[in-house]
Amino acid sequence: MRGFVNPWVKRTDLKEPPPKAGLKAMPQFFQLENIKTQLDLVLLALEALAELSSEDILQAATKLKLDAVITDRVTLWRLRQSNPLRQSQGGRKKLDVEEARSLVLICCDLAQQHQDRIREAVTLLESLTRMHRPPHEAPLLGDYLDNFCNFYQARMEESAELDAEHLTQLALKLLIDLLFYSAPDGSRYFWLALLERSDTPR
Amino acid sequence: MSLFQSVLKQYTTPTCNLEILSSSSATETSLPGIQKAPESFQLKIHPPLPVQNGKGSDFLQSDTEEPTILTIVVRGTVEQLQSLHAAIQNYLQGFLAKANVPALAATSTPGPIRFPVDPPRRSSPAVADAGIKLQPRGLTQHTLQLGSLVASPSVSAIELASTQLFDLVGTLDRYARDVPTPATEPQRQLIARPSGARKQGLWIAATALAALGLAGLAKVLPSFQGPALQVASQSATDEQRDAPNVNNTFQPGILPGLPTGTPAPNGLASGLPTPTGTPGATPSSAIPTPNPSQTLSVPGIPVPSSTSLPTAIPTAIPAGAESVAPGAKQSSSSFAQSLPKPVSGALKPVPPTFAIASRSPQLDKARGSNSAAKTYPPVSGSAFKPVPPAASRPPQTGIIPQANPAARAQPFEPFSPAAPPVSAARDAAAETAARTTPTETAARDAGGGTVFDITQQVREVRDYFQPRWTPPSGLDQVLEYQLSVNSDGSLWKIAPLGEAAGRYIDRTGMPLLGVPFVSPIPNRQRATVRLVLSPDGKVQTFFEGLSQ
């Protein structure tokens, strides 16, 4: 059994140079590999694409009978604040496995609800990529990218900010991921992906 | 007799159509209700669907590229299909787990935004048996190397868009839910083996807890342990098993969701094998890059979805299934040449040839006169007769050996709850054993079980059908079925004997294939049981044989 790799320990097998302080470089990869970060980012992508509100997320929690875990907006906010990239004041809430699993289920349920829109966006992205054209030429993708970038920059710490290209890449990768999370087995794929991120090879 | 392939089951998604095929003769396929074993598959991968007319699709009309309209057809055995599923699942897990983002466009294609492709992860590309491999090609493309699979037109690799891969995964996941495969076996073991589930669940919990800062240890561990895991898994499995039978057509937007009625955390945990256990995963650097000249990409065109063909699939491929296909309208003499040897076990009252002989005109005539119960010796402790040695058996003339009429009248009396079946059966067994030749005894011992091991199951088959059997009005003859029961107590084959049996099979309350409805059979054996449903509401079951 492979040992657990602390995501906060900088990996030495990455080719990219470490980010310089003060520059808007990509966050450390191990940061994006963090489960808490990934859960929050997937919700962020859903919000940006489907224009979801926290009320929609809470309704999904109720539908899935997870309202005992995620009781109200404050609880939801605190769970998402566990993302270490988030702007935060004071102590950061810890996320336990029950809460993480609840968020996985909610994300996948919301992705299923909005599968048509996700698929349309991915289809547009495939077409534009085939035509060697930038993704924001499609209004749906453009709106999504704008929303995602705005949400990200407004909610994440300054040190976690990305330049526009990397932020676009992140948003598009999350969009593709959402398509697979919207499958009937999406929650399993999502959970496995989270575990894989937290158990990266040395 | 000419053989051709018939479609057992079909799965359709917007860009993918999977047909599970079985070779059969023309006469076999003409009989209703006959379950055949899947042997091969045909997978059609259609080009991606175009963007629907809606918000922001007008700009695509300026696309000057003329896509080549092409559907790729991939063929292979069901074993290769399982390898394909395993390879895609492994690849997808690695793809979704990638933290950093690959280049938007393929590295060989200039795109608007390009970043260095991240170093390969151990589990990103999947390598499975049959040489089937996948590797990412940019963010939206995936190269599927077909390995030993045969494609038409002949290519060694296919470029899949993400939407195509999504449809392909959905199709294969649905197939895997219907038919147990090695790819899904680990998950099924989570369900079936509490100790295994506990072990894997604890590993998942340990990993997740470590990742999440060891929060909530005491709260979390119980939820990963065996019993809860089994219940949630079974619930999900049942729901998934039922869904495809209703409608095999993929419907975006109304996908069956997670088991909402199930406590969510357990429901999620039920399908969570540890990612580190992924077999066969190797770095993408170890995967040879496909020859571009042989790689076929699928451009976007609209393709209509195929209609679904819901047909149950047997959960296993029986050895010699063709030889004993009871619905085949062959003469008993021609069948006798292709029959497998009777399974070891001298206590079998009816060898497999018995079922074949029952197709003879004499027997059909007897069945038509509502005399099947008189024709076949029922299973009962007092009436149990050993099978004579092969040399002393009558030739394959279709004449059914007559049994004791008294025993025929009440075939299951010794097994009623009031009279424990074991004692009566044991007495008969002792008597039988005394007359069994050493060779037969050795063969039975080698088989690891006797007929008495499954008397309970034969009774349970009868008990299952008794409350469900309501004779349809107008039925004037008995309905007979040969039921093949898996060692787990589920059906793997239903063979209606006679046209009426096929016509009325939906009125019998027959259990679904693969769903246990009787107790497991010891020693991993399969049993063949004849079910006789009479117009007067009577239900009889007759043990026919055991096999491995």
Side-chain angles (χ1 to χ4, degrees):
Chain A
M1 185 171 70
R2 269 187 294 170
F4 169 70
V5 179
N6 186 344
W8 296 103
V9 175
K10 189 169 74 174
R11 291 167 51 188
T12 57
D13 58 343
L14 300 175
K15 306 297 183 189
E16 292 76 5
K20 296 177 182 177
L23 296 179
K24 289 184 177 181
M26 286 189 72
Q28 296 282 341
F29 290 127
F30 56 79
Q31 287 179 292
L32 290 181
E33 289 169 358
N34 185 277
I35 287 178
K36 292 175 278 191
T37 299
Q38 189 62 20
L39 282 168
D40 189 33
L41 289 178
V42 169
L43 278 174
L44 202 69
L46 276 167
E47 287 180 88
L49 182 66
E51 299 174 357
L52 296 179
S53 64
S54 58
E55 186 60 34
D56 296 317
I57 299 173
L58 290 172
Q59 283 180 2
T62 303
K63 171 188 164 189
L64 297 169
K65 303 186 189 310
L66 296 171
D67 42 357
V69 180
I70 302 173
T71 53
D72 51 27
R73 280 191 177 83
V74 175
T75 306
L76 176 63
W77 174 80
R78 292 192 69 220
L79 289 178
R80 299 188 68 178
Q81 283 296 112
S82 66
N83 174 9
L85 299 186
R86 282 252 184 179
Q87 294 175 7
S88 177
Q89 294 178 347
R92 194 176 301 282
K93 184 192 182 309
K94 291 182 179 178
L95 190 73
D96 66 29
V97 174
E98 291 289 341
E99 292 163 338
R101 291 191 300 185
S102 300
L103 288 178
V104 166
L105 290 168
I106 290 170
C107 287
C108 293
D109 183 74
L110 291 170
Q112 286 185 13
Q113 290 181 32
H114 298 278
Q115 191 193 52
D116 287 348
R117 194 174 181 86
I118 295 170
R119 184 172 183 126
E120 183 184 356
V122 173
T123 305
L124 285 168
L125 177 62
E126 291 170 346
S127 299
L128 288 167
T129 304
R130 218 166 29 239
M131 297 157 57
H132 311 307
R133 291 163 61 177
H136 60 258
E137 281 192 13
L140 178 60
L141 285 174
D143 290 348
Y144 165 68
L145 291 173
D146 284 348
N147 289 338
F148 184 86
C149 293
N150 290 336
F151 291 161
Y152 187 94
Q153 290 168 348
R155 299 181 193 178
M156 303 302 162
E157 284 184 340
E158 195 170 325
S159 62
E161 285 186 10
L162 298 169
D163 58 53
E165 287 184 346
H166 286 87
L167 200 49
T168 299
Q169 283 290 98
L170 176 61
L172 296 178
K173 175 65 164 63
L174 287 167
L175 177 64
I176 304 278
D177 290 351
L178 278 177
L179 178 65
F180 291 101
Y181 298 156
S182 72
D185 285 344
S187 59
R188 188 171 62 87
Y189 287 121
F190 191 8
W191 186 255
L192 286 173
L194 291 178
L195 294 182
E196 181 79 6
R197 286 169 191 270
S198 67
D199 193 28
T200 53
R202 290 183 186 276
Chain B
M1 183 175 297
S2 63
L3 295 178
F4 63 94
Q5 290 189 315
S6 59
V7 178
L8 291 181
K9 194 145 188 171
Q10 184 165 302
Y11 304 85
T12 301
T13 52
T15 66
C16 189
N17 175 259
L18 173 65
E19 292 178 345
I20 307 300
L21 306 171
S22 172
S23 296
S24 58
S25 67
T27 51
E28 281 177 334
T29 55
S30 66
L31 291 177
I34 293 178
Q35 305 298 325
K36 307 180 194 69
E39 295 175 352
S40 59
F41 76 93
Q42 175 175 281
L43 177 66
K44 293 179 182 174
I45 301 175
H46 303 297
L49 296 174
V51 179
Q52 300 294 320
N53 290 331
K55 185 181 180 183
S57 60
D58 295 342
F59 70 98
L60 289 176
Q61 294 175 358
S62 62
D63 184 6
T64 55
E65 292 185 19
E66 277 295 326
T68 304
I69 300 175
L70 193 60
T71 293
I72 299 174
V73 182
V74 179
R75 295 183 181 87
T77 64
V78 289
E79 289 78 15
Q80 288 175 313
L81 183 62
Q82 291 164 3
S83 297
L84 175 65
H85 187 212
I88 290 177
Q89 277 196 325
N90 289 341
Y91 167 76
L92 187 57
Q93 287 172 13
F95 176 80
L96 294 174
K98 276 187 178 177
N100 48 349
V101 184
L104 179 62
T107 52
S108 60
T109 306
I113 302 172
R114 298 186 62 181
F115 297 107
V117 176
D118 56 316
R121 294 173 64 87
R122 184 160 49 184
S123 60
S124 291
V127 180
D129 293 336
I132 302 168
K133 305 167 189 171
L134 291 100
Q135 56 186 148
R137 187 172 168 84
L139 183 59
T140 60
Q141 296 287 316
H142 315 266
T143 301
L144 168 62
Q145 297 194 49
L146 295 172
S148 60
L149 293 172
V150 177
S152 175
S154 180
V155 291
S156 62
I158 302 174
E159 286 293 324
L160 294 174
S162 290
T163 47
Q164 291 174 299
L165 180 62
F166 172 72
D167 288 341
L168 182 55
V169 169
T171 301
L172 295 178
D173 283 348
R174 283 188 160 208
Y175 167 72
R177 280 195 292 270
D178 285 355
V179 180
T181 66
T184 60
E185 195 56 31
Q187 296 168 42
R188 294 177 184 277
Q189 286 177 356
L190 273 179
I191 300 169
R193 298 177 183 175
S195 60
R198 192 187 195 113
K199 184 178 177 182
Q200 292 210 29
L202 287 174
W203 161 234
I204 294 170
T207 305
L209 279 172
L212 298 174
L214 297 174
L217 175 64
K219 178 182 175 184
V220 167
L221 278 179
S223 68
F224 276 110
Q225 294 183 0
L229 200 60
Q230 292 175 56
V231 171
S233 302
Q234 191 60 55
S235 172
T237 305
D238 290 342
E239 181 174 321
Q240 291 162 350
R241 185 186 298 126
D242 293 339
N245 291 334
V246 176
N247 185 1
N248 288 326
T249 303
F250 182 84
Q251 296 179 337
I254 55 170
L255 285 169
L258 294 163
T260 54
T262 306
N266 289 339
L268 175 61
S270 65
L272 304 178
T274 55
T276 55
T278 303
T282 61
S284 61
S285 58
I287 297 181
T289 305
N291 184 351
S293 64
Q294 291 184 302
T295 301
L296 199 59
S297 62
V298 184
I301 60 159
V303 176
S305 299
S306 304
T307 56
S308 60
L309 182 63
T311 308
I313 298 181
T315 56
I317 303 175
E322 294 86 356
S323 301
V324 294
K329 292 179 177 176
Q330 296 186 12
S331 67
S332 56
S333 58
S334 64
F335 254 122
Q337 296 175 357
S338 61
L339 286 173
K341 292 182 178 179
V343 181
S344 61
L347 296 181
K348 283 193 308 177
V350 183
T353 53
F354 180 84
I356 305 308
S358 71
R359 303 301 312 161
S360 67
Q362 294 92 323
L363 183 59
D364 286 342
K365 184 178 178 181
R367 187 175 297 122
S369 61
N370 198 8
S371 60
K374 301 173 185 175
T375 307
Y376 304 119
V379 175
S380 66
S382 59
F384 230 90
K385 301 297 181 187
V387 174
S392 63
R393 239 176 271 155
Q396 305 297 329
T397 59
I399 306 299
I400 307 303
Q402 296 295 313
N404 183 352
R408 286 196 299 268
Q410 294 181 340
F412 284 99
E413 279 305 312
F415 305 129
S416 64
V422 178
S423 58
R426 188 178 294 130
D427 293 342
E431 182 184 358
T432 302
R435 291 178 294 186
T436 304
T437 64
T439 304
E440 289 170 332
T441 304
R444 181 189 61 209
D445 293 342
T450 71
V451 64
F452 301 105
D453 293 333
I454 69 138
T455 51
Q456 178 188 350
Q457 285 77 16
V458 177
R459 186 188 66 223
E460 288 173 352
V461 172
R462 185 197 58 182
D463 292 345
Y464 176 87
F465 282 98
Q466 188 66 69
R468 291 170 172 79
W469 170 236
T470 303
S473 60
L475 179 67
D476 58 357
Q477 59 179 310
V478 295
L479 306 180
E480 287 186 57
Y481 301 89
Q482 192 178 50
L483 308 180
S484 299
V485 184
N486 281 319
S487 59
D488 66 352
S490 67
L491 282 180
W492 69 269
K493 192 166 76 172
I494 304 165
L497 301 180
E499 185 181 348
R503 191 165 62 245
Y504 287 104
I505 191 168
D506 60 334
R507 311 290 293 272
T508 58
M510 197 70 72
L512 293 174
L513 295 178
V515 179
F517 72 111
V518 297
S519 305
I521 300 172
N523 301 320
R524 304 175 61 85
Q525 295 185 106
R526 287 174 172 168
T528 303
V529 177
R530 184 182 299 272
L531 171 68
V532 178
L533 305 173
S534 301
D536 59 359
K538 187 177 178 183
V539 176
Q540 291 174 292
T541 48
F542 304 88
F543 171 71
E544 290 202 330
L546 283 171
S547 62
Q548 285 291 342

